[in-house]
Amino acid sequence: MKNIKLSAASAFIALALFSCGLKKQDTGNSATTAPVPLVNPALPGDNPDPSIIRVGKVYYATSTTNEWAPYFTIYKSTNLRDWKLVNHVFPGGFKDMKDQWGENNFWASELAYDAKQNRIYAYYTAHNRKVNGNPGLQCGIAWIDADEIETGKFTDNGPVIIEDDCGAIDAFEFQDNGKIYAFWKNDGNGCGKESWIWVQEINESRTKLLGTKRKVYTNSQPWETALVEGACFFRLGEYVYSLYAVGGCCDANCNYKTGIARTRNLAEGKWEKYEKNPVMVSNDRWRCPGHGTVVQSADNRLFMLYHAFNKEYDVFVGREGIIEELKMGADGWPVLHNATVANRPKQELDFYNDFRKDKQLNLVWQWPSKLQKPQMSFDKGLHLTAGNDNHELGTFLGQYIKTVNFDITAEVEVTGATAGVCLGGAIFESKWPGELGGIGIAASKQGFVVFNNLNKKYEVLKQSNESLSGTIDLKMQISNNGKFIDFFYKKHKSDWVKLYSTDFNASRYAPWGMGYRAGIVAKGAGEHAIFRHFGLKNN
């Protein structure tokens, strides 16, 4: 990220800002206490394409979920430091979508607050299952009353932005001077054509575009590659500004960068790009930063929430949500301060789930998006219906990993099902149904097994044939920055016993645009695996 000298003119911003898509509201709650220092990653784990809004004193954020359900996270914070997952746009996956229209590519959810309606809208991208090929990428819109966003259910309007030229992605709403604008990108780079950012007015119910679409800008500066995407918009004084991304976003070969452009008049459509672009590039801490949203805090500061790969973790963990302050530069352009560090304490990333006390599934758990939500119940533990999906891996529930050195543990009750812990990696096939690959350790009445199906074939790496009963503890210890795995078991109150060890090439199996998941697996037919607790400890 570039080092750019800043002036003290940031106070000007507080007088003029319209957050990306959210016009500044006079909430009467300006801060009187010292601001909470920023902690990063703001959204640890695989949270690409993040979007953020403020409603009064509360912030809400969302992110891409790719090929995992539930679709599109909803996080809550009151201080921009501590974030809690409180909901999803579509908790039930494709069942919650209008006519179940979305098939895959659940990308780029963007939040917008309509103060007049007191509604929050979520724009999102998905591939329409009724359309073959790239044009099947379309932008849908769902909404919910702002008072219900933490516990309620979004209503889906279905696909609203449909682009014949290679499909539409990365939709964004901007309210300005009494009008509502929808911006999006035609995904030209996906089919050998130009990529543009487009704009068109949209009606108040967000069900129909109005008038005629217009081009906003495309890649035109020497530093820009074959595309522009991930654009957000905000008003600052006499200008409407747009931050946008170029390049490859999502894998080990990414070269994402961020630029900024501005216009005095949206209707005229004349955009000026900053001569010092790019304003954000890879540095010694983060790789491929971009595709974010700007918000004004309650104490009148500007922040951009965007994604980047931690250089120490890279594609193993995925693109994390990073928050950084935005200030006005001496030349009149808002720029980023280039001081972001990974300073979130690792103990804050640990997770423990006592299934014996639960009555429902914690919101952090995910499953492959093209499969039905796994069947389960709670009775002194999680009873998970076993299956043979995912290339015989079985039923899988997982969650983000947040470092590259960690332990996965679980206590299982021995049944006829093969129950264990697993590190989920590649999602095979971009088309339906799509299945998960993983590596893990499990136990059943017949003994222990270490398994791997990351090569699309279920393989037994180590087996211990013995009669088991009662409860068993299982552990995977990932070390050497994701390059080595030890597999352990523990009977009753005995010490841990190492069953197997193996080298592991995490980058080889990292799916495009997604980080790994750590979780539990239940293999078998007509059986239930029983889990008493689960832990994820970062070392």
Side-chain angles (χ1 to χ4, degrees):
M1 301 175 193
K2 285 192 172 183
N3 285 305
I4 301 174
K5 187 176 180 180
L6 305 178
S7 75
S10 59
F12 164 74
I13 297 177
L15 301 176
L17 175 76
F18 289 69
S19 151
C20 285
L22 169 58
K23 185 175 180 179
K24 181 185 174 186
Q25 303 296 315
D26 182 8
T27 59
N29 58 4
S30 57
T32 57
T33 58
V36 176
L38 295 180
V39 177
N40 276 298
L43 305 180
D46 189 19
N47 283 284
D49 311 327
S51 170
I52 183 172
I53 60 172
R54 179 168 67 89
V55 181
K57 295 182 179 181
V58 180
Y59 302 91
Y60 295 104
T62 184
S63 61
T64 282
T65 46
N66 267 308
E67 308 311 316
W68 293 94
Y71 306 155
F72 308 121
T73 57
I74 299 292
Y75 294 100
K76 175 187 177 182
S77 177
T78 57
N79 59 10
L80 294 176
R81 181 200 187 281
D82 304 297
W83 293 89
K84 181 181 179 182
L85 182 62
V86 295
N87 205 349
H88 291 86
V89 176
F90 299 123
F94 59 85
K95 283 187 172 182
D96 293 341
M97 303 177 76
K98 185 178 181 180
D99 300 325
Q100 300 183 9
W101 74 272
E103 180 182 25
N104 59 339
N105 302 140
F106 299 103
W107 299 339
S109 47
E110 287 282 353
L111 299 180
Y113 177 55
D114 189 314
K116 183 173 67 173
Q117 300 176 3
N118 194 36
R119 281 184 178 177
I120 293 174
Y121 289 89
Y123 290 66
Y124 63 93
T125 299
H127 191 282
N128 194 323
R129 63 186 176 89
K130 299 179 182 180
V131 181
N132 293 323
N134 195 283
L137 287 167
Q138 299 172 355
C139 297
I141 305 173
W143 62 270
I144 194 170
D145 289 337
D147 298 335
E148 298 179 1
I149 190 170
E150 296 181 33
T151 57
K153 187 174 181 179
F154 280 76
T155 298
D156 188 25
N157 291 338
V160 178
I161 302 172
I162 300 172
E163 174 66 67
D164 293 332
D165 192 2
C166 307
I169 69 171
D170 295 354
F172 189 92
E173 177 176 304
F174 176 57
Q175 302 166 32
D176 189 52
N177 294 327
K179 294 184 178 181
I180 309 168
Y181 298 92
F183 293 83
W184 70 92
K185 170 206 174 186
N186 73 294
D187 199 33
N189 57 286
C191 58
K193 297 183 180 180
E194 288 186 333
S195 294
W196 283 80
I197 304 299
W198 294 81
V199 63
Q200 194 167 347
E201 287 189 50
I202 192 168
N203 65 354
E204 290 191 353
S205 61
R206 278 69 167 186
T207 57
K208 183 179 180 180
L209 295 171
L210 305 175
T212 304
K213 67 179 184 180
R214 293 182 286 107
K215 290 180 175 179
V216 180
Y217 54 76
T218 187
N219 48 302
S220 59
Q221 291 185 321
W223 68 278
E224 295 169 338
T225 56
L227 63 90
V228 289
E229 64 183 23
C232 81
F233 297 81
F234 58 97
R235 178 171 286 281
L236 190 57
E238 63 181 313
Y239 289 102
V240 174
Y241 288 88
S242 175
L243 287 155
Y244 62 95
V246 306
C249 64
C250 307
D251 58 20
N253 298 316
C254 68
N255 61 345
Y256 229 34
K257 306 176 186 68
T258 296
I260 190 168
R262 69 184 182 186
T263 185
R264 282 191 171 92
N265 191 323
L266 276 176
E268 291 181 0
K270 296 180 180 178
W271 285 81
E272 171 194 9
K273 290 184 178 178
Y274 190 30
E275 64 179 10
K276 296 180 181 179
N277 274 340
V279 296
M280 191 161 61
V281 298
S282 298
N283 62 17
D284 59 353
R285 301 186 185 100
W286 304 97
R287 291 184 63 230
C288 303
H291 199 150
T293 304
V294 175
V295 71
Q296 182 187 22
S297 68
D299 60 350
N300 296 326
R301 298 161 72 192
L302 298 184
F303 298 92
M304 184 182 184
L305 180 66
Y306 60 91
H307 73 233
F309 289 109
N310 185 319
K311 273 199 170 181
E312 294 184 6
Y313 303 164
D314 211 0
V315 295
F316 192 11
V317 171
R319 293 165 289 165
E320 303 187 274
I322 311 302
I323 193 163
E324 182 169 345
E325 190 163 6
L326 189 71
K327 294 184 178 181
M328 182 63 76
D331 55 6
W333 287 81
V335 291
L336 295 153
H337 63 61
N338 192 41
T340 304
V341 296
N343 59 345
R344 186 172 292 279
K346 285 189 176 179
Q347 61 266 28
E348 292 187 8
L349 307 177
D350 294 343
F351 177 84
Y352 180 77
N353 208 159
D354 190 341
F355 295 121
R356 295 166 296 185
K357 298 179 180 179
D358 294 336
K359 301 298 180 183
Q360 61 184 6
L361 194 67
N362 190 296
L363 292 176
V364 303
W365 291 101
Q366 300 176 309
W367 61 92
S369 67
K370 294 176 184 176
L371 302 176
Q372 298 283 350
K373 181 178 180 180
Q375 294 181 348
M376 67 194 76
S377 62
F378 290 87
D379 181 14
K380 299 179 181 179
L382 168 61
H383 295 240
L384 185 62
T385 300
N388 291 308
D389 294 325
N390 301 307
H391 292 275
E392 297 186 64
L393 182 71
T395 303
F396 178 82
L397 286 173
Q399 58 181 276
Y400 304 143
I401 65 168
K402 298 174 181 177
T403 64
V404 290
N405 299 292
F406 55 95
D407 295 345
I408 310 170
T409 59
E411 182 184 16
V412 303
E413 186 174 327
V414 175
T415 68
T418 303
V421 293
C422 176
L423 184 64
I427 288 185
F428 308 124
E429 310 297 339
S430 60
K431 288 294 184 182
W432 200 278
E435 294 191 317
L436 176 77
I439 184 170
I441 180 172
S444 69
K445 291 180 180 180
Q446 288 72 45
F448 299 101
V449 60
V450 177
F451 56 87
N452 178 11
N453 79 330
L454 285 166
N455 294 311
K456 301 187 182 183
K457 180 181 178 181
Y458 186 85
E459 300 177 279
V460 174
L461 303 180
K462 180 74 175 182
Q463 195 161 0
S464 173
N465 295 317
E466 56 185 292
S467 180
L468 298 178
S469 62
T471 60
I472 299 290
D473 287 285
L474 301 169
K475 180 168 70 171
M476 293 176 63
Q477 188 171 74
I478 292 84
S479 59
N480 194 21
N481 296 328
K483 297 177 182 177
F484 199 81
I485 305 178
D486 291 307
F487 301 85
F488 300 85
Y489 67 84
K490 183 168 65 172
K491 298 179 181 179
H492 310 299
K493 295 183 179 180
S494 62
D495 295 330
W496 287 107
V497 176
K498 185 186 294 186
L499 182 62
Y500 189 71
S501 298
T502 184
D503 293 325
F504 187 65
N505 184 349
S507 62
R508 177 180 177 184
Y509 302 107
W512 183 88
M514 289 170 276
Y516 281 71
R517 290 346 186 228
I520 56 177
V521 65
K523 177 177 166 61
E527 298 278 357
H528 287 85
I530 302 175
F531 298 86
R532 292 193 172 186
H533 59 73
F534 174 88
L536 192 59
K537 180 174 173 52
N538 298 281
N539 301 319

